[in-house]
Amino acid sequence: MTVAGLRDWTTMFRVHRRGRRAAALVARGQLAAAAEALTEAVSLAQRQWGDANPQSIALLSNLVDVRRGLGELAEAGELGERVVELSGRVLGDDHPVTWYAVNNLALVLQASGDLPRARELHERELAAARRLRGTTHPETLTSMDNLAQCLFRLGEVDAAYELAAEAVRLSREVRGAGDPDTLIAIDNLGVFAGARGDLALARQLHEEAAEGLRHALGEEHPHTVTALANLAESRRSRPETPPTSSA
């Protein structure tokens, strides 16, 4: 192996290790540490391969999502716009990394309150996911739930509920009832049910989500905390005061 080849392999290993560490930290809800690990991975990847590299672009997109989770919306939005443009130019509009970047930018726009543009991006990303991956692929199901949340925030509660109910039904079949992503989708569906005035169903869904997430992720994980808060709210809510949707 040449010196350049060894250097390239070593860098790839270091980037991969930091990327995996970041993913594990995200799964535990440790977003600040995940952002630090991703920043290190991006810096290594860009020094070795430059910006126009699939791995660099994917890591940057992951960093967008983590910064959104940390509430750093201005930084996440600016970076998200840059990643979408870069990925589309370098990898093409139909590359999975490009659509992942579009989805993450749409989530930032949701959190920032730019709901019309977020909806447009979510709808485009969901259409691409169905076309490229199929209607039952786990990432397609996540796209359905993301669009449902956007519709809910736009006040289209019935449309949000119908789309989320379909996502939950498919997720139970594809991922399993105890999968954290299924349980998060169930918790969101409970939010929509409560907003429609079906408090009994909302409580049932929040109970299932909270118990499942407590078992799968632990008591202190942010998704568990959100589900427990939604459950508590659903037990005392009136139809006009629905609980807050999970992110």
Side-chain angles (χ1 to χ4, degrees):
M1 182 181 292
T2 65
V3 173
L6 178 61
R7 187 184 303 117
D8 193 64
W9 184 90
T10 301
T11 300
M12 186 178 300
F13 174 77
R14 293 170 67 194
V15 169
H16 180 68
R17 184 173 61 184
R18 283 167 174 76
R20 289 189 62 181
R21 180 170 181 269
L25 289 166
V26 169
R28 294 199 295 268
Q30 299 175 9
L31 299 184
E36 182 179 349
L38 279 171
T39 300
E40 293 173 358
V42 167
S43 179
L44 282 169
Q46 289 181 335
R47 280 203 304 269
Q48 184 68 21
W49 303 303
D51 289 340
N53 173 273
Q55 192 164 13
S56 300
I57 295 170
L59 288 166
L60 282 170
S61 191
N62 288 340
L63 185 57
V64 170
D65 200 46
V66 171
R67 291 206 181 284
R68 174 184 65 86
L70 288 167
E72 300 172 1
L73 299 182
E75 297 88 342
E78 181 179 349
L79 181 59
E81 297 280 6
R82 181 159 64 89
V83 175
V84 167
E85 187 279 329
L86 179 64
S87 189
R89 174 164 47 84
V90 173
L91 303 177
D93 290 338
D94 272 353
H95 196 283
V97 170
T98 300
W99 287 112
Y100 177 64
V102 169
N103 176 71
N104 286 344
L105 175 58
L107 289 173
V108 173
L109 293 170
Q110 269 205 66
S112 302
D114 190 351
L115 297 178
R117 184 160 178 241
R119 176 182 186 166
E120 176 191 352
L121 294 181
H122 279 309
E123 288 177 339
R124 286 172 51 200
E125 195 272 334
L126 176 56
R130 285 171 167 160
R131 175 168 51 85
L132 298 171
R133 303 188 182 101
T135 57
T136 60
H137 191 282
E139 292 181 16
T140 303
L141 303 183
T142 298
S143 298
M144 292 171 67
D145 195 53
N146 289 339
L147 176 57
Q149 291 183 59
C150 189
L151 293 173
F152 176 75
R153 291 185 170 109
L154 283 164
E156 300 182 26
V157 177
D158 288 339
Y161 179 86
E162 291 172 7
L163 183 60
E166 179 67 6
V168 166
R169 183 185 69 79
L170 292 172
S171 191
R172 289 185 193 274
E173 296 175 1
V174 173
R175 294 170 171 144
D179 182 87
D181 287 329
T182 300
L183 294 164
I184 292 167
I186 289 170
D187 194 45
N188 288 333
L189 183 61
V191 172
F192 307 151
R196 296 175 87 201
D198 193 342
L199 297 184
L201 177 58
R203 282 193 294 271
Q204 176 186 333
L205 292 168
H206 288 314
E207 285 169 357
E208 180 181 356
E211 182 58 30
L213 288 168
R214 183 190 284 118
H215 176 75
L217 301 178
E219 192 84 24
E220 297 182 359
H221 193 282
H223 289 316
T224 307
V225 171
T226 297
L228 288 168
N230 284 341
L231 173 59
E233 185 66 24
S234 71
R235 286 172 170 166
R236 62 176 180 266
S237 279
R238 298 174 183 177
E240 65 270 18
T241 56
T244 301
S245 173
S246 300

